[in-house]
Amino acid sequence: MDGQVFGDKNMAKGNKRVSIQDLAAELGLSVSTISRALNNALDVSEATKAQVRALAEKLNYQSNSMAASLRSGRSHVLGVIVPHINGAFFPAVVHGIERLASQAGFNVMICQSSEEVGREVAHVKALLKAQVDGILVSMSNTTREYDHFEQVRRKGIPLVFFDRMPELTNVCGVVADDYRGAYQLTEHLIEQGCRCIAHLAGPQHLNITHNRHQGYHDALLAHGLPYDKQLVVPLSNSREAGGAAAMRHLLAGNMRPDAVFAAYDFAAVGAMRVLEDHGLRVPEDIALAGFSNEPFTTMIKPQLTSVDQHGVQMGEAAVQLFLQLQKRSDTFTGQRIVLKTKLIIRGSSLHGLPAQPATSA
Amino acid sequence: MDGQVFGDKNMAKGNKRVSIQDLAAELGLSVSTISRALNNALDVSEATKAQVRALAEKLNYQSNSMAASLRSGRSHVLGVIVPHINGAFFPAVVHGIERLASQAGFNVMICQSSEEVGREVAHVKALLKAQVDGILVSMSNTTREYDHFEQVRRKGIPLVFFDRMPELTNVCGVVADDYRGAYQLTEHLIEQGCRCIAHLAGPQHLNITHNRHQGYHDALLAHGLPYDKQLVVPLSNSREAGGAAAMRHLLAGNMRPDAVFAAYDFAAVGAMRVLEDHGLRVPEDIALAGFSNEPFTTMIKPQLTSVDQHGVQMGEAAVQLFLQLQKRSDTFTGQRIVLKTKLIIRGSSLHGLPAQPATSA
DNA sequence: TTGAAAGCGCTAACAT
DNA sequence: ATGTTAGCGCTTTCAA
């Protein structure tokens, strides 16, 4: 492979792509036969198939999927819209989607909304124009109207949400059990002896963060602890800076929590930094936990207790839902798949008793 | 937006998409006029344009980009192939690509090769079939043959590499100055008083890791230090586990380095863990540095010295290169853009003297 | 088992 | 300023 010169410039530009017409002409067959042979139709003799395939190979024929899609009405492309691909969660979901989708013969078109409704709407439009066979989407956190999704449905294109989905009837999607994850996490903190547990909360119009908050709330009440609004601080963003600001706000108040549950791992790290700055030890003085089980949770000290959301699995489930929808598109059952989450206990939350055996490395 | 029922099922399936034919019929105009009006051609009266746009809006017309692309030969889609989207680097590049591309009127189709040549080849094929207007690619680390790239060129499709590119003449792309980054980093370690600097090396057939190794090598010699092969340990993978294994190997040998430069941040963290386990302090006993400036470098203790690669900028440069290529496709200049890297000094490398003022937070 | 022919929805000459 | 016409490359009836 060395010294190889890449791209001799003899064929500057004018080399037309070879089409099935060319193959047909070359072999003295009709284009329809070529088409059928290439698509491995059952009513073409093996002999011609072989012949056609050989020539296609030789001439380096590449089918034009635009033409095929235009004619057939199916593009074999699956559109995916994610809010972003930072952190590990969405990449994991995308991975799951790609695996199952490509296995089912679909190409995947990934778009980032960058948490902007505008871009989300634009992407939906572009995907529809591109005639995708289906759309999988996790909403941006600025999405409050759902007309663009409604359009998709109106066109009869299968639409599947994952993780972040609108509170509407008749939409299908797959979500993690954020409620249960938060509930268990809060319960764990209580078992650690914490009695004054704060929550750094994400935006409450989003199902995921709403449910995390709710799980926290219900766990407190279930264990006879009061729910105090002063202990719930909204995060200005999901990153470290947001967590740090919220933590500072909390420390400036007149309640001194003995545990903090942040709705995101990144926010938890920001909080941890602030606690250090204030000379507070984690978990001895204040227990700390996040949500998502980002890889860096095991890199920091103490390691961060968190909740795993099984991203890959979620992606796969979303594709399965899509495939189902595609089969029988008359019944939009509004099916919701809820995936179990997994509490991962690490050092940051071991406030009291040694607690249950650690669930992870 | 509450209580809204999503997707009344009255229009089960049969609602044909509205096409420009429908618009033409409705307005008593020809399809070509409609087409021109929609594309804002300059030879259509403002009156009709308004009329057409109004009806299009009313009927919720969505153009069929497959048809348009098939006819015009341009898809306005840019294909992007990345090895993966873990960590922060490739997502940053993708972000840069998306920003500039969408600004230039292109949609972006992102594909992951997952470090498998097979998938890379498949993606190239799919993108060509999809008639993309150009392909931006960062090679998988298992790519050793470049025939699939050659095909792209042969078809006259602009091809731009970024970060990881083949050692061929006549290919264009944008890379970070890994050599210089590694050189400066090594120099910094030397200035810290380190005299026995090890390198955890990435695969040497890839330009990026090869250049990091080379920069390390040359910096040593330039400062009169010997280059000792025993101090260069190949990483089995770029993650923590790879770094940990390499570090263990190093510690088991008879050389005891006073600094370690890992070719990836993740590997550096793995190494850090092993050093801790061996009771060695960073940076007092052994200085440590990585490469890429991942966000977690500031989350760990000590914070990790690293080299920033300006991912967003790289993505933008790649798009610019593509746009250039598209304009004058006759001259494949094989232009290479080399982006400066930036040494970010943090606690993990402060082995000796206070050194130069810290470059970052 | 193969061929002929009609078009998918749009654009782009070329007319008018 | 608008209309006519001819396809882009493929799939898919309908015939043979």
Side-chain angles (χ1 to χ4, degrees):
Chain A
M1 288 305 101
D2 256 13
Q4 169 188 353
V5 175
F6 193 71
D8 24 355
K9 55 180 60 183
N10 47 5
M11 35 177 61
K13 193 86 204 275
N15 50 338
K16 309 269 305 172
R17 307 177 50 93
V18 354
S19 75
I20 59 173
Q21 317 248 23
D22 302 323
L23 302 186
E26 184 88 17
L27 293 175
L29 290 170
S30 72
V31 289
S32 45
T33 302
I34 304 293
S35 172
R36 281 183 287 232
L38 256 19
N39 291 317
N40 200 22
L42 19 65
D43 58 353
V44 181
S45 74
E46 281 306 324
T48 34
K49 275 187 192 171
Q51 206 183 357
V52 171
R53 284 200 269 255
L55 185 64
E57 177 75 21
K58 179 184 158 207
L59 298 188
N60 189 31
Y61 165 79
Q62 301 265 119
S63 74
N64 182 330
S65 52
M66 310 230 95
S69 303
L70 177 58
R71 181 57 233 250
S72 67
R74 325 193 329 102
S75 64
H76 293 280
V77 171
L78 202 50
V80 176
I81 305 176
V82 290
H84 57 79
I85 50 175
N86 303 321
F89 176 67
F90 284 116
V93 178
V94 167
H95 210 251
I97 290 174
E98 283 185 329
R99 190 159 59 178
L100 227 71
S102 72
Q103 196 177 297
F106 288 90
N107 281 94
V108 173
M109 196 153 171
I110 305 162
C111 313
Q112 295 185 66
S113 64
S114 304
E115 303 283 17
E116 296 169 30
V117 223
R119 305 218 60 197
E120 187 175 277
V121 172
H123 279 136
V124 167
K125 266 203 183 124
L127 292 174
L128 287 178
K129 282 171 62 166
Q131 311 292 112
V132 295
D133 289 348
I135 297 182
L136 313 186
V137 42
S138 192
M139 294 193 307
S140 93
N141 64 24
T142 54
T143 302
R144 309 248 183 171
E145 294 203 277
Y146 311 123
D147 305 15
H148 49 305
F149 299 136
E150 176 62 41
Q151 305 266 350
V152 177
R153 289 285 300 277
R154 194 160 284 160
K155 289 212 160 36
I157 309 292
L159 175 65
V160 176
F161 289 92
F162 57 91
D163 198 47
R164 305 184 188 175
M165 60 188 299
E167 293 304 328
L168 297 173
T169 58
N170 276 1
V171 291
C172 57
V174 39
V175 294
D177 197 341
D178 294 280
Y179 174 85
R180 193 122 191 293
Y183 191 101
Q184 290 180 325
L185 177 50
T186 307
E187 206 161 39
H188 159 66
L189 292 171
I190 296 170
E191 284 165 4
Q192 288 294 312
C194 302
R195 290 293 171 266
C196 183
I197 303 172
H199 178 48
L200 311 187
Q204 292 302 297
H205 69 279
L206 271 186
N207 58 317
I208 52 169
T209 32
H210 177 78
N211 290 340
R212 290 174 200 177
H213 175 231
Q214 202 62 43
Y216 155 81
H217 171 272
D218 290 1
L220 289 184
L221 297 196
H223 287 267
L225 292 178
Y227 170 80
D228 188 331
K229 276 196 182 128
Q230 287 187 67
L231 287 171
V232 178
V233 184
L235 290 163
S236 55
N237 67 65
S238 62
R239 316 299 313 245
E240 290 178 76
M247 194 67 230
R248 272 192 290 269
H249 177 83
L250 202 53
L251 291 178
N254 42 15
M255 309 276 296
R256 173 55 51 99
D258 52 16
V260 173
F261 159 36
Y264 312 98
D265 284 338
F266 282 95
V269 172
M272 191 183 281
R273 187 80 39 81
V274 169
L275 290 174
E276 275 170 22
D277 291 348
H278 282 250
L280 293 165
R281 295 164 306 163
V282 176
E284 294 84 352
D285 299 323
I286 297 193
L288 187 61
F291 209 101
S292 277
N293 196 27
E294 290 283 339
F296 64 74
T297 51
T298 62
M299 297 183 181
I300 61 180
K301 269 175 292 190
Q303 296 193 3
L304 188 66
T305 290
S306 191
V307 176
D308 193 272
Q309 303 177 88
H310 305 300
V312 176
Q313 201 184 325
M314 184 180 290
E316 294 176 343
V319 173
Q320 277 167 339
L321 225 41
F322 156 72
L323 293 172
Q324 240 172 267
L325 234 54
Q326 193 174 236
K327 252 183 224 154
R328 42 208 196 84
S329 60
D330 48 313
T331 42
F332 285 102
T333 46
Q335 195 181 349
R336 248 167 232 246
I337 294 178
V338 179
L339 298 177
K340 285 205 194 321
T341 54
K342 186 172 182 198
L343 176 61
I344 311 280
I345 298 171
R346 300 200 182 90
S348 72
S349 65
L350 301 181
H351 182 70
L353 5 169
Q356 46 232 83
T359 320
S360 145
Chain B
M1 288 307 101
D2 256 14
Q4 169 188 355
V5 176
F6 194 69
D8 26 354
K9 55 179 60 182
N10 49 5
M11 35 177 61
K13 193 87 203 279
N15 51 338
K16 309 268 308 170
R17 306 176 51 94
V18 352
S19 74
I20 58 173
Q21 317 247 24
D22 302 321
L23 301 187
E26 185 88 16
L27 292 176
L29 290 170
S30 72
V31 290
S32 47
T33 302
I34 304 293
S35 171
R36 281 182 287 230
L38 258 17
N39 291 317
N40 201 22
L42 21 62
D43 56 353
V44 180
S45 75
E46 279 306 323
T48 36
K49 274 187 194 172
Q51 207 183 356
V52 170
R53 283 200 269 256
L55 184 65
E57 177 75 19
K58 179 184 157 208
L59 298 188
N60 189 30
Y61 165 79
Q62 300 266 120
S63 74
N64 183 329
S65 53
M66 309 228 96
S69 302
L70 177 58
R71 180 59 234 245
S72 68
R74 327 194 327 103
S75 64
H76 293 280
V77 172
L78 202 51
V80 176
I81 306 176
V82 290
H84 57 79
I85 50 175
N86 304 321
F89 176 67
F90 284 115
V93 177
V94 167
H95 210 251
I97 290 173
E98 284 185 330
R99 189 158 61 177
L100 228 72
S102 73
Q103 196 178 297
F106 288 91
N107 281 95
V108 174
M109 196 154 171
I110 305 162
C111 313
Q112 294 185 67
S113 64
S114 303
E115 304 283 17
E116 296 169 30
V117 223
R119 306 218 59 197
E120 187 175 277
V121 172
H123 279 136
V124 167
K125 267 202 183 127
L127 291 174
L128 287 178
K129 282 172 63 167
Q131 310 291 112
V132 295
D133 289 348
I135 297 182
L136 313 187
V137 42
S138 192
M139 294 193 308
S140 93
N141 64 24
T142 55
T143 302
R144 309 249 182 170
E145 294 202 279
Y146 311 122
D147 304 16
H148 49 305
F149 298 136
E150 176 63 40
Q151 306 266 349
V152 177
R153 288 286 300 277
R154 193 160 285 161
K155 289 212 161 35
I157 309 291
L159 175 64
V160 177
F161 289 92
F162 57 92
D163 198 49
R164 305 184 187 176
M165 61 188 298
E167 292 305 328
L168 297 173
T169 59
N170 277 1
V171 292
C172 58
V174 41
V175 293
D177 197 341
D178 295 280
Y179 174 84
R180 195 125 189 292
Y183 191 102
Q184 289 181 326
L185 177 51
T186 307
E187 207 160 39
H188 159 67
L189 292 171
I190 295 170
E191 284 166 3
Q192 288 294 313
C194 302
R195 290 294 171 266
C196 183
I197 303 173
H199 178 46
L200 311 187
Q204 292 303 297
H205 69 279
L206 271 186
N207 59 317
I208 52 168
T209 33
H210 177 78
N211 290 339
R212 291 174 199 175
H213 175 233
Q214 202 62 42
Y216 156 82
H217 171 272
D218 290 1
L220 289 183
L221 297 197
H223 287 264
L225 292 177
Y227 169 79
D228 188 331
K229 276 196 184 127
Q230 286 187 69
L231 287 172
V232 178
V233 184
L235 290 163
S236 55
N237 66 66
S238 63
R239 316 299 313 245
E240 289 178 77
M247 193 67 229
R248 272 191 292 268
H249 177 84
L250 202 53
L251 291 178
N254 43 14
M255 310 275 296
R256 171 57 48 99
D258 52 16
V260 173
F261 159 34
Y264 312 99
D265 284 337
F266 282 96
V269 171
M272 191 183 281
R273 186 82 36 83
V274 169
L275 290 174
E276 275 170 23
D277 292 348
H278 282 251
L280 293 164
R281 295 164 307 163
V282 176
E284 295 85 351
D285 298 324
I286 296 193
L288 187 62
F291 208 103
S292 276
N293 196 27
E294 289 283 339
F296 65 74
T297 51
T298 62
M299 297 182 182
I300 61 180
K301 269 175 295 193
Q303 295 192 5
L304 187 67
T305 289
S306 191
V307 176
D308 194 272
Q309 303 177 90
H310 305 301
V312 176
Q313 200 184 327
M314 183 180 290
E316 293 176 343
V319 174
Q320 276 168 337
L321 226 41
F322 156 72
L323 293 172
Q324 239 173 269
L325 235 53
Q326 193 173 235
K327 253 183 224 155
R328 40 207 197 84
S329 61
D330 48 311
T331 40
F332 285 102
T333 46
Q335 196 182 348
R336 249 167 232 244
I337 294 179
V338 179
L339 298 177
K340 286 205 195 319
T341 54
K342 185 172 183 198
L343 177 61
I344 311 279
I345 298 172
R346 300 200 183 90
S348 72
S349 64
L350 301 181
H351 182 71
L353 4 167
Q356 46 231 85
T359 319
S360 145

